[in-house]
Amino acid sequence: MVAPAVHRQLTLFPSPPRDVAAALRAAAAAPVSGGPRDPALSAWLGRQLTDWAASHGWSTATLGRARSGLRMLLAVQTTAGAPIPATWIEQLAPFRLPGRLLHEFLTAHSFAEDDRTPAIESFFTRITDGLPEPMTAQLATWMSLRLKPSRSRPRTTDTVRHQLRHAMTVLAPLAAAGVHDLADITPLQLRARLGAARLTGTELCQTVSAVRIVFTVLHAHGVLDRNPAMKLRGGSPAYTIPVPADLAPIRQSLASPEPARAAVTALLVFHALRSGEIRHLTLDQALAAQTGPLRLPQRTVPLAEPVRVRLAAYLAHRSHRWPGTANPHLFITQRSALSTTPVSRSWLYRQYPDSAHVLRSDRIVDEVQAAGGDALLICELFGLGIKAATRYTAAGGK
């Protein structure tokens, strides 16, 4: 086993920023003179890449293109044997080389480092563009505290993005009006801006909640001396009644000649699985469910016979279409079959005959009506909390 170098080659004089794309083009144009700095490491990685390709079902052409990409990356390294930055690997795309597959291979062998800007940081930069200091720095501190708190559980990036987007409804107009510091904001200013925004129902509730969270967290950690949002009230969210789904496209999708589409639809309309649950279903889970229930991380689902039939059809298709794949997930595509990642959200959405939210809601309401409004049973079957289940039991009783 070859370990990556832990040192970095230092330079005597500062050099200008390196144009990696130009270096890759030069390496592609001069394969002989632009060889790797460490031939032994290159040979070892080449052997590992061959084994990796065989175990992941790569074609000879894909392996050949991956070899070319690996040779180019090793040729432009500053420090021989050091992990290769992910931003360099991404620049293989114009050469039609499998950068995504190479990144997964190098990461598995500890020869890749992720130097990409996290998506949440790019989002923060965009949404706070134009805000004055120190407000921007205070919000950056808040985001850091939410993602990596010391005294509470960390929030997901989706939650932080959602809260920051709603809070900006109030904070951005205050900044435009000349308020530069969150510490200078008064309760009266917050109420005035909320009134000017003319929000109602769920939007008002979510905006008030987001503003309160921003000030509460910063105050609790000593960033702000007071909390002007402490007594801010926004009412309750507007609860909507689940809308019935159109049955015609559901029947058509269940009878689809495409095994993946039929299986995905069956899991959704019979058992209301969430999109994340479907994407991350494993092959082992599906195989075990052929003779027993489907065991998910948070619940166990007894499968209906129509679902078993469609899952069996898809499993046969998967085995025939991708016999050599190492991807552990149940649903795979031509793209994901060469890796170990789940299918994309966009691929999954294309399999649905209607909105996943509408189909899931319709199925839950149907079960509520059959179970006589038993909220506890609904919670166990569909992985809901009691508050969420109440929305469906109220709709099912009408």
Side-chain angles (χ1 to χ4, degrees), residues 304-324:
E305 188 58 29
V307 181
R308 292 186 189 277
V309 170
R310 287 162 177 80
L311 276 181
Y314 174 74
L315 286 170
H317 164 77
R318 185 188 190 276
S319 177
H320 174 74
R321 182 68 180 81
W322 297 287

Side-chain angles (χ1 to χ4, degrees), residues 143-182:
M143 185 176 73
S144 176
L145 291 171
R146 294 294 280 171
L147 293 174
K148 298 179 180 179
S150 57
R151 292 176 291 187
S152 62
R153 64 182 178 85
R155 266 50 179 185
T156 65
T157 55
D158 287 342
T159 297
V160 172
R161 186 182 290 109
H162 173 82
Q163 292 172 347
L164 186 57
R165 185 183 292 111
H166 281 285
M168 288 299 293
T169 304
V170 172
L171 299 181
L174 285 173
V179 179
H180 294 175
D181 193 330
L182 293 179

